């Protein structure tokens, strides 16, 4: 299995970039990669979050996407201008029919909890990363119940492609 950097791209801070990020991911991993669906989903969630939540407003703000293969996972990093409001987190109080707010829950599930953030300093942005493992353990009954709450989520139309 190939290891090392698979892709590094910079995308406009716009919802249309989510589709481009998915295409870049498919190209970098190849159509037969065993983790392709999971990595594409994680990239979609992290890019959509970066566009939605990063403080922006400056012309030319970019979001970086890096994909790296390791012997046990595919590592995904999304770097954005950051947010002064609060760090990325998994909301625990979403109503069962909520149509938004599930992105990091999905990332957490697909990465088996192997995700986090790096703050680069005031005004320097943030990186959200995760490692999608080749082998995952089975979720507990409580995790399955929580997953059921989030199963009807869909991306906004501008992000699909």
């Amino acid at each position: 299995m190939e290891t090392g950097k698979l892709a590094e791209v910079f995308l406009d801070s716009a919802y249309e970039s989510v589709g481009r990020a998915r295409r870049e991911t498919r190209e970098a991993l190849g159509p037969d990669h065993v983790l392709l669906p999971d990595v594409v989903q994680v990239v979609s969630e992290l890019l959509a979050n970066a566009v939605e939540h990063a403080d922006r407003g400056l012309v030319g703000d970019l979001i970086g996407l890096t994909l790296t293969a390791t012997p046990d996972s595919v590592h995904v990093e999304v770097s954005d201008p950051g947010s002064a409001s609060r760090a990325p987190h998994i909301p625990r109080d979403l109503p069962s029919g909520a149509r938004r707010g599930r992105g990091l829950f999905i990332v957490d599930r697909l990465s088996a909890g192997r995700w986090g953030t790096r703050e680069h300093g005031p005004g320097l942005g943030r990186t959200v990363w995760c490692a999608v493992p080749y082998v995952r353990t089975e979720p507990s009954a409580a995790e399955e119940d929580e997953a059921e709450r989030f199963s009807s989520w869909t991306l906004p139309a501008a992000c699909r492609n």
Side-chain angles (χ1 to χ4, degrees):
M1 197 159 306
E2 183 181 347
T3 61
K5 190 176 286 188
L6 301 173
E8 183 173 38
V9 295
F10 296 93
L11 307 149
D12 292 327
S13 184
Y15 284 112
E16 294 78 19
S17 293
V18 177
R20 178 172 169 219
R22 279 197 298 272
R23 288 188 299 276
E24 295 281 351
T25 300
R26 286 185 196 106
E27 184 176 312
L29 269 62
D32 299 324
H33 195 285
V34 66
L35 292 179
L36 184 63
D38 290 349
V39 175
V40 167
Q41 184 69 43
V42 162
V43 165
S44 294
E45 303 300 343
L46 294 180
L47 254 290
N49 281 353
V51 170
E52 177 75 19
H53 298 293
D55 294 338
R56 45 185 207 274
L58 298 175
V59 175
D61 274 351
L62 295 176
I63 296 172
L65 168 65
T66 304
L67 303 172
T68 306
T70 69
D72 68 335
S73 65
V74 173
H75 193 88
V76 178
E77 292 187 352
V78 174
S79 299
D80 63 48
S83 171
S85 59
R86 60 184 188 178
H89 66 285
I90 299 172
R92 298 291 179 193
D93 56 352
L94 286 175
S96 64
R99 300 190 48 83
R100 299 173 55 87
R102 297 179 175 95
L104 285 178
F105 175 80
I106 293 167
V107 169
D108 184 69
R109 290 290 300 242
L110 293 176
S111 69
R114 294 172 56 189
W115 72 276
T117 63
R118 287 191 310 271
E119 299 293 332
H120 303 295
L124 298 176
R126 160 187 302 136
T127 298
V128 180
W129 63 270
C130 76
V132 181
Y134 287 105
V135 177
R136 281 197 302 266
T137 58
E138 290 298 315
S140 68
E143 290 172 326
E144 285 295 330
D145 289 344
E146 191 160 356
E148 184 62 31
R149 287 184 49 220
F150 296 121
S151 64
S152 63
W153 186 80
T154 57
L155 285 171
C159 296
R160 293 185 208 132
N161 193 2

